[in-house]
Amino acid sequence: MFVPMLRFICIRIIFLMGILLVACTQEKNHHAADFEYSISRSETIRLEDVFSEVSLIPLEFAGDYYPHGIAEVQCRAGLFGILDNRKSLHIFSYDGHFIDCSDRMRGQGPGEISVIMGFSINPSDTTVQILTPKEFVKYDTCFSKIMSADLPTQVGQDCFMFSYLSDLSASRHLLLPSGVSTYPDRLFTCNSLSQEISELFSFGDEIIVNSSMQTSCMHIDADSTILFIPPAFTGHIYALSPDLSEISRHIALNLSDDFITKADLQISDDSKDPDIFSFNKDIPLRIDISAGKIFLLSSSQPGLNGMRYYIIDRDTGTSGHIKLMENSTRIFPLIADTDSQYAYAVMEKEKLEESPALLITQQNMNLLANFEPETLIMLKYRLK
Amino acid sequence: MFKAISVIAVCCIVLLGIRAQSTAAPHLSTMTLSNIEALTVDIELPEVVITCEPGFEGQCHKENLRKWVMCNEWMVHPCEFSGYQADYCSTPC
């Protein structure tokens, strides 16, 4: 009677120790970041410290198509994709020539789109990919349908739909659910050919600020490291293994006291939608990555007046900050997208005329004067 | 032995009783039948139309509190398709 009891207790103890050991190992992997950067307001920088030159590309809209505000911009594979606030997707070549607009395909017939949840320009096959509530649809640049794949979806009270799309190859993608989905804080991998989708990572427990302006959630470094930037601030940028089987903390962003903390937000946990700007602290909103720099956009007010960039040099680890507006004039652009060498921003001609500092040279000011009124201009800044 | 026989006998009586109850013909009065008929009269229900507004706002759209977009110089939460008819959202931009 006594011996079996003792054996049972021993097995239980060994089993529990095993679980504890595995948990500790995972915790260790989870916390180590390959790079750590401290971000504070200790140093101020100027636009000329970040960019060496800017090219002005007027976007030549055709027909009745003109964007109503800019919600998202993607600059990939020689194409500009501009999603406006009315969910119309406009495609341009890199020299600003209009190619097509998704409004031409709006409808509920075959190959047509009634609701756009998200989009991407896939550099692997130079296609335009659109997420609808139920489908992943691949088009050529003139919106001729190439293929579609069903997405797992659930509409109604338990809403579950994808709205963030990033591409690893022609058929491998990263997907994230929309912010109105019941469980938005999850990263999925998707194979659009085999129509297989699997959950890779849940970052819900790590969120510090859950509202963001993040539009692009992936960056691939020159050494092929796949970086994942969640659409909510967690204080980390994550690295995915090439086979997508593992995810780890790659870059830790240690914020100074100028930023809102998790403790600040927990005070207002009772409120369904706490006013995050009532703390008068910087709210981290968006991260853009290039080969040598990390741009962290933050704001202490719900508008351009309170916005500033913290720019980190990835090689030296030094950082500086700059406000977007000074004395009611724009002195730094609101970056819409980045690649390894350039940062892109979109502005109207009239707004640019009021913000000569954004043009860097008088030559650009003269060039601007030649453009038609209300022209939307793509600013292509070369990174230093 | 006697105990076992008496247990089996009691079980048999109970089972027979249940069977008799379940197979008995219903004795419903004409009053009851006429009430049932009254309740089963065809009632025309109005046609239910499920409408979700396509595009970027309206019915089946919900304010996405986890996302900010710029509306001129201000940050606003955009409307996002939820597919749920009770949701309604309109955007200032």
Side-chain angles (χ1 to χ4, degrees), chain A residues 105 109-113 137 139 143 145:
Chain A
M105 302 299 296
E112 293 182 325
I113 317 158
V137 193
Y139 294 94
F143 289 101
K145 188 175 167 181

Side-chain angles (χ1 to χ4, degrees), chain A residues 36-74:
Chain A
E36 285 202 23
Y37 301 118
S38 296
I39 298 165
S40 71
R41 289 189 193 169
S42 57
E43 190 141 347
T44 313
I45 50 172
R46 299 169 309 138
L47 183 132
E48 290 81 1
D49 299 329
V50 186
F51 307 122
S52 58
E53 60 177 27
V54 59
S55 310
L56 276 61
I57 305 161
L59 300 175
E60 297 165 357
F61 285 89
D64 297 332
Y65 306 126
Y66 192 80
H68 297 268
I70 307 285
E72 186 176 345
V73 176
Q74 286 193 16

Side-chain angles (χ1 to χ4, degrees), chain A residues 310-327:
Chain A
Y310 291 85
I311 300 164
I312 305 136
D313 188 306
R314 293 180 69 183
D315 298 325
T316 61
T318 54
S319 72
H321 75 104
I322 182 167
K323 287 195 78 173
L324 264 65
M325 292 193 85
E326 199 172 69
N327 303 323

Side-chain angles (χ1 to χ4, degrees), chain A residues 95-106:
Chain A
D95 52 7
H97 289 297
F98 176 78
I99 297 176
D100 214 334
C101 175
S102 65
D103 281 2
R104 204 170 56 74
M105 302 299 296
R106 213 173 270 281

Side-chain angles (χ1 to χ4, degrees), chain A residues 114 157 184-185 211-212 302 304, chain B residues 55 66 68 70 73-75 84:
Chain A
S114 58
Q157 277 173 310
D185 314 315
S211 56
S212 87
L304 276 177
Chain B
R66 302 189 60 145
W68 296 101
M70 294 307 291
E73 298 203 337
W74 294 99
M75 290 162 61
Y84 185 42

Side-chain angles (χ1 to χ4, degrees), chain A residues 258-272:
Chain A
D258 300 311
F259 286 87
I260 203 160
T261 62
K262 203 167 186 174
D264 291 332
L265 291 166
Q266 273 165 353
I267 296 166
S268 45
D269 253 358
D270 298 339
S271 165
K272 232 181 166 185

